Amino acid sequence: GLRLQQLGLNQAAVDAYKISISFKRDFMDAYYNMGIAYGSLEEIGVDVIDHAIGCLKQTIRLSADFIHGYIALGAAYIRKEEYEKALDVLSRALTLDSKDSNAHYYIGVTYRALKDFERAATSLRSSALLKPDSLQAQYFLGLVLLDCEKFQGACDAFSETVRIKPDFAEGHYMLGYLFFEKLFDEEKGVHHLSKAEKLYIKLEDFDSLERVRKILRE
């Protein structure tokens, strides 16, 4: 199952995990990895989120102190837009380890979905402080600070994303947008939008390319 999952053959991995569980009903690792495999299938459009949730709930029943089970279950609840349930299990993750950056990250994502931007910013800031080189934490922190209209803070967070990954097209786009539209620094805006333009051409992402060129035309 693990080998198949590493190869991206998630349905075959699920089938293997089911066989392993038939031999050992309380095999926590099999339930956890099957939940993750179902999550990967959900990401490509297969409607299996309830199966993922069922596996991950069984994971934490079998091991109440397995923090990764709570975090994965929280992420699955976010995927299903069951945000209160997500907050509940992610808060339980923090009781196991208050310094887990992923738990803070997903709590921030949940609060942003609930449009509680101040709480989202607090959680995402904690995640970024605990794991400064996390691209996703810095990027979502930038988005939520933009939601809060804290434009310089958002700029600082997006600057971190392109420090971590210099060819991160969306980071350069967001910086260009902020400098142009909110901070009124046209020179820096052009600099980052030009970088984003080149990267989107390379990625053949023509919808995003048009977003960039629209700002540059204006």
Side-chain angles (χ1 to χ4, degrees), residues 107-124:
I107 287 172
V109 170
T110 305
Y111 277 128
R112 184 171 187 251
L114 292 169
K115 301 193 184 304
D116 190 338
F117 300 131
E118 292 295 338
R119 283 187 180 180
T122 298
S123 294
L124 288 163

Side-chain angles (χ1 to χ4, degrees), residues 71 90 93-94 97-111 119-128 130 137:
I71 292 169
L90 292 166
L94 286 181
D97 183 358
S98 63
K99 294 185 178 180
D100 188 286
S101 64
N102 288 324
H104 286 288
Y105 168 75
Y106 283 114
I107 287 172
V109 170
T110 305
Y111 277 128
R119 283 187 180 180
T122 298
S123 294
L124 288 163
R125 195 176 283 112
S126 295
S127 179
L130 289 163

